[in-house]
Amino acid sequence: MFSPTYCIGGMLAVLAWHSQAQAAPPDPSAADAVPPVVYESPLQSYRRFEPQPPGNWREANDNVGRIGGWQTYAAEVWEASQSQDGGAEADAGDANPHQHH
């Protein structure tokens, strides 16, 4: 039995095969076919570890005291966590859960 659908499908398959058979392979002698390989060693920019002498611990302690010590760092972390939470703990009940302790 003749079906136009099979006939059209077969014709398309033959045309696709024919167009692939006619494609010319690339010319391997073309200079721009393959870019030149450039190698850069990762060791070329290597810098040797140079130990640094320890700093003055008294100046470091004085600087931490001027900044406000560990309490300043703890306050920064607490404020950042509050801004990320969006105040979810404040909506859940007491504003300060440790106020009764």
Side-chain angles (χ1 to χ4, degrees), residues 38-85:
V38 178
Y39 176 76
E40 183 178 327
S41 172
L43 299 177
Q44 186 176 7
S45 61
Y46 174 75
R47 289 186 354 190
R48 197 177 111 180
F49 175 75
E50 296 291 331
Q52 298 178 355
N56 186 339
W57 64 269
R58 289 184 192 265
E59 288 179 11
N61 284 347
D62 291 342
N63 188 29
V64 170
R66 280 191 297 275
I67 292 171
W70 65 268
Q71 295 154 338
T72 300
Y73 297 119
E76 289 175 0
V77 172
W78 184 80
E79 289 170 1
S81 70
Q82 293 301 311
S83 65
Q84 288 176 355
D85 291 343

Side-chain angles (χ1 to χ4, degrees), residues 24-36:
D27 183 13
S29 65
D32 60 340
V34 178

